[in-house]
Amino acid sequence: MLSLILLVLLAHATSISCQNILEQRLNIIILAGQSNMAGRGGVANHSVRGIPTWDGDVPPQCQPNPWIFKLSADMAWVEAREPIHADIDAKKTNGIGPGMAFANAVLRKDPNFGLVGLVPCAIGGTNISQWQKGGFLYEQLVKRAQMALRSGGAYKAMLWYQGETDTIYKQDVELYQGRLKRFFNDLRSDLQAPRLPIFQVVLASGQGRYIEEVREAQLKLELPYVENVDAKGLPLEPDGLHLTTPAQVRLGDMLAHAFLHFQPNPLNTNHSPPIFVPFFFIIAQVFWMVISFS
């Protein structure tokens, strides 16, 4: 009978329903943009058929951490592990992105920061026009961010890395800054977070000839609480477009540095981290105790 109970409990221990963690304090970090935010580190066309595959290499800076969770595609809190966007950017092959490196770096540099709740929303190959209010990507981002908030915690930042697709056509370049500004303003309004810090990664590469023009539009964006983190010069995969795994680790660390230094007051430095023990962790401990005393 005891074995049956344990099996039933363990079968439900792979995720945490949002309803089950109400009133818990999570530091919510939204991850949005296109492929370099979703993560293509370690992804290459290794097969004869030219199908992209991920090498499976997860560096120490991107390893799972009991203080880091992610909101899955089915709106459940689960342990965060690479590839973070595998169930979000599901039509593409995902690899290492900056999200896990960022979260681990924040916790390493500020041990009292507390729990990190990553909300992945990035989709590869998307134009800034596809992120405008009313579009599918925008509405999904808002829906996921609002669900994360309802499950406990507070918005701490959005990490945004997008623009490679907008380097192809001159018309997109000319409209880029206005569309980007409107997107940021609309998002803050709909999330009721007018001071949401946004950390924008300035392009390291692009699919077209207008890379510098899009970079200039990003760097000259005049909005409060927007911090630029320049990815120019970071190593790229052989495709010349996507950041390598080491580059993503470096970018995650750069974003963490900008994030921690951007805060007007240190977060949670005078308080102990909130107590949040996920269901699957409790079950694992119970299972271990049963085995030990058998």
Side-chain angles (χ1 to χ4, degrees):
M1 182 64 181
L2 178 58
S3 298
L4 177 61
I5 294 173
L6 284 172
L7 286 173
V8 171
L9 290 173
L10 287 170
H12 291 81
T14 56
S15 65
I16 312 165
S17 171
C18 288
Q19 285 87 357
N20 290 339
I21 62 170
L22 292 174
E23 299 181 1
Q24 304 296 338
R25 296 295 297 174
L26 283 167
N27 293 299
I28 298 170
I29 306 293
I30 302 167
L31 309 176
Q34 55 182 108
S35 56
N36 271 318
M37 177 56 73
R40 300 293 188 265
V43 175
N45 294 328
H46 292 297
S47 68
V48 176
R49 296 170 58 191
I51 300 174
T53 56
W54 177 46
D55 61 16
D57 180 29
V58 180
Q61 300 92 331
C62 301
Q63 292 291 332
N65 184 317
W67 290 86
I68 305 174
F69 298 86
K70 84 158 192 174
L71 190 67
S72 68
D74 58 359
M75 301 294 190
W77 287 110
V78 298
E79 180 186 43
R81 57 176 58 246
E82 298 286 10
I84 288 291
H85 279 79
D87 60 337
I88 303 297
D89 194 14
K91 294 182 179 180
K92 307 288 179 61
T93 301
N94 291 268
I96 301 297
M100 281 299 290
F102 164 84
N104 274 312
V106 168
L107 293 175
R108 185 176 67 251
K109 296 177 181 184
D110 183 1
N112 293 320
F113 182 74
L115 292 162
V116 179
L118 300 176
V119 183
C121 301
I123 300 293
T126 52
N127 189 287
I128 188 62
S129 64
Q130 296 175 265
W131 289 93
Q132 299 302 293
K133 183 172 182 175
F136 175 78
L137 296 180
Y138 179 90
E139 299 304 326
Q140 276 292 106
L141 191 163
V142 171
K143 179 181 178 181
R144 288 176 56 74
Q146 289 175 338
M147 179 63 78
L149 188 69
R150 285 198 295 272
S151 64
Y155 299 130
K156 295 300 179 182
M158 179 172 76
L159 309 186
W160 172 255
Y161 192 168
Q162 189 278 335
E164 293 92 342
T165 304
D166 292 274
T167 65
I168 300 174
Y169 301 110
K170 188 174 183 179
Q171 182 179 5
D172 287 335
V173 175
E174 293 171 347
L175 296 173
Y176 187 81
Q177 190 177 90
R179 288 170 170 172
L180 183 64
K181 187 174 183 178
R182 183 162 56 251
F183 165 62
F184 287 167
N185 284 334
D186 285 341
L187 183 64
R188 284 170 167 169
S189 176
D190 286 339
L191 296 184
Q192 299 181 6
R195 296 184 179 182
L196 174 70
I198 297 173
F199 296 87
Q200 174 182 227
V201 180
V202 182
L203 291 186
S205 60
Q207 294 176 260
R209 56 185 291 192
Y210 298 108
I211 298 173
E212 288 304 320
E213 287 82 354
V214 173
R215 280 176 48 83
E216 183 178 5
Q218 293 172 330
L219 288 166
K220 292 186 176 180
L221 183 70
E222 295 183 0
L223 274 181
Y225 309 106
V226 174
E227 185 85 0
N228 291 321
V229 176
D230 200 340
K232 188 173 184 179
L234 291 177
L236 300 173
E237 294 285 1
D239 62 10
L241 180 64
H242 297 112
L243 298 186
T244 64
T245 293
Q248 290 284 18
V249 171
R250 173 60 182 149
L251 178 60
D253 191 71
M254 291 163 62
L255 286 164
H257 178 83
F259 172 75
L260 291 173
H261 286 78
F262 182 80
Q263 304 303 315
N265 295 304
L267 295 173
N268 299 324
T269 53
N270 297 321
H271 305 279
S272 299
I275 299 175
F276 168 52
V277 184
F279 182 63
F280 61 75
F281 181 78
I282 296 173
I283 296 306
Q285 295 300 310
V286 172
F287 183 76
W288 178 255
M289 291 173 65
V290 171
I291 295 298
S292 299
F293 286 98
S294 297

